[in-house]
Amino acid sequence: MKTNKLKDVLSFTGFVGMIGALIFLTTNSTKTYKPISESQTEWKNLKILPKNITKDSLMFVMKTFNASLGVDCAHCHAAQKDNPQKLDFPSDAKMTKEVARGMLAMTNDINSKYFLPHRPDAKPKNLVAVYCVTCHRGNPNPEKYLQDVSKMIPRLMPTKQKNEK
């Protein structure tokens, strides 16, 4: 009997630890960008991220995308024409890069409209911002993961009956 309680405690502790690690990894994805000097023009073709983002901050954001979607850099970045072994980071040849920009703009918009205005009193208490991993959960296309959401919505938000007004 003591062994079962010990297993339960260890299982619960491991579960809480995993949740804590996930929260730590995902909440650090919105660290404040550290600007580089105004005269430095190292980055080409940044459309959503700040043009003065530091290399460390940019790499952190990209690695967060990698982990959140379970992909590597080649998912969004095309190979160089003259050397296919290297990536052409400024290139817009892949549609997935434009989709990523749209998703980043969407999460920025959601967070600025629905979460930032409520800080520090977040609504709901257990969610303070939306990140890529919120929906993707390590999957580049969360469609399978989210396919039953449309079935849940009528149960969560029932429509008014015609005789109700």
Side-chain angles (χ1 to χ4, degrees), residues 21-33 49 53 56-68 104 107-108 111 119 129-134:
L22 180 64
I23 290 170
F24 175 77
L25 290 173
T26 59
T27 56
N28 282 335
S29 67
T30 58
K31 284 184 176 178
T32 305
Y33 302 119
L49 295 172
I53 190 171
D56 288 346
S57 293
L58 181 61
M59 292 302 107
F60 185 84
V61 170
M62 293 298 131
K63 286 179 182 178
T64 301
F65 292 161
N66 295 150
S68 297
L104 188 56
T107 56
N108 288 344
N111 288 330
R119 284 194 177 162
V130 173
Y131 305 100
C132 302
V133 75
T134 306

Side-chain angles (χ1 to χ4, degrees), residues 23 115 122-129:
I23 290 170
F115 292 102
K123 310 269 189 274
K125 294 283 186 195
N126 59 342
L127 185 65
V128 295

Side-chain angles (χ1 to χ4, degrees), residues 73-136:
C73 302
H75 182 73
C76 293
H77 297 287
Q80 292 179 0
K81 289 182 174 128
D82 57 337
N83 185 356
Q85 300 300 316
K86 292 186 177 183
L87 296 176
D88 182 4
F89 293 107
S91 170
D92 285 336
K94 285 194 165 187
M95 180 55 91
T96 50
K97 185 174 183 180
E98 195 58 36
V99 170
R101 286 179 176 141
M103 291 287 185
L104 188 56
M106 177 189 70
T107 56
N108 288 344
D109 188 48
I110 290 169
N111 288 330
S112 67
K113 285 183 181 176
Y114 302 105
F115 292 102
L116 291 177
H118 299 291
R119 284 194 177 162
D121 187 27
K123 310 269 189 274
K125 294 283 186 195
N126 59 342
L127 185 65
V128 295
V130 173
Y131 305 100
C132 302
V133 75
T134 306
C135 297
H136 283 274

Side-chain angles (χ1 to χ4, degrees), residues 9-73:
V9 168
L10 291 175
S11 294
F12 179 74
T13 304
F15 176 73
V16 169
M18 287 175 37
I19 296 297
L22 180 64
I23 290 170
F24 175 77
L25 290 173
T26 59
T27 56
N28 282 335
S29 67
T30 58
K31 284 184 176 178
T32 305
Y33 302 119
K34 299 174 190 169
I36 55 177
S37 69
E38 296 296 325
S39 61
Q40 188 175 354
T41 57
E42 183 177 345
W43 311 119
K44 296 176 184 168
N45 203 20
L46 287 182
K47 295 182 180 177
I48 303 292
L49 295 172
K51 294 186 183 354
N52 64 346
I53 190 171
T54 64
K55 182 176 182 178
D56 288 346
S57 293
L58 181 61
M59 292 302 107
F60 185 84
V61 170
M62 293 298 131
K63 286 179 182 178
T64 301
F65 292 161
N66 295 150
S68 297
L69 278 70
V71 296
D72 61 14
C73 302

